[in-house]
Amino acid sequence: MKTLCRDHDSVAEAVMQRYDERAVNASLATLTSRQRRALTLAFYDGYTYGEAAACLKVTLPTFKSRVRTALHRLRAEVDVTGN
C-alpha cells in the first residue's frame, strides 16, 4: 500500500510541475524579449547580474531595471490569472 501512495504522490507532483512550467512559460510570453532574456540569464542560466549585464552589453542598472520590471509584470500576470 505504501508503494501505491508513493506512486500516486510522484504522479501528482509530476502533473503539478508540468502545470507550473506551463503557467510560467505562459507568463514569460507576456514579457518583452529584453525582459525575458534578462530573467532567463539571471534565474535559469545562473549568471550573476553583473555577468548577465555584460553578456547583454548593457549597464548593471539597466539590467536590474529590466529584471525588476519583468518581475512586476509577472506578479501582475499571476494575480490576474489566479495562478
Side-chain angles (χ1 to χ4, degrees):
M1 190 63 151
K2 287 183 181 181
T3 304
L4 180 62
C5 289
R6 275 190 236 134
D7 289 343
H8 179 271
D9 289 346
S10 64
V11 170
E13 287 176 21
V15 168
M16 287 307 297
Q17 182 176 354
R18 285 191 192 127
Y19 176 79
D20 290 344
E21 287 172 2
R22 287 183 187 146
V24 168
N25 287 334
S27 295
L28 286 172
T30 67
L31 302 176
T32 67
S33 60
R34 288 178 176 179
Q35 292 168 341
R36 194 171 34 256
R37 185 69 178 134
L39 288 184
T40 300
L41 287 171
F43 296 105
Y44 290 103
D45 296 341
Y47 285 81
T48 66
Y49 279 17
E51 292 168 338
C55 180
L56 296 176
K57 297 181 177 144
V58 298
T59 64
L60 184 58
T62 297
F63 181 80
K64 287 181 175 182
S65 178
R66 287 181 187 174
V67 169
R68 185 177 54 254
T69 302
L71 291 175
H72 284 285
R73 287 185 65 182
L74 288 177
R75 183 177 298 124
E77 178 68 21
V78 169
D79 288 344
V80 168
T81 61
N83 292 331

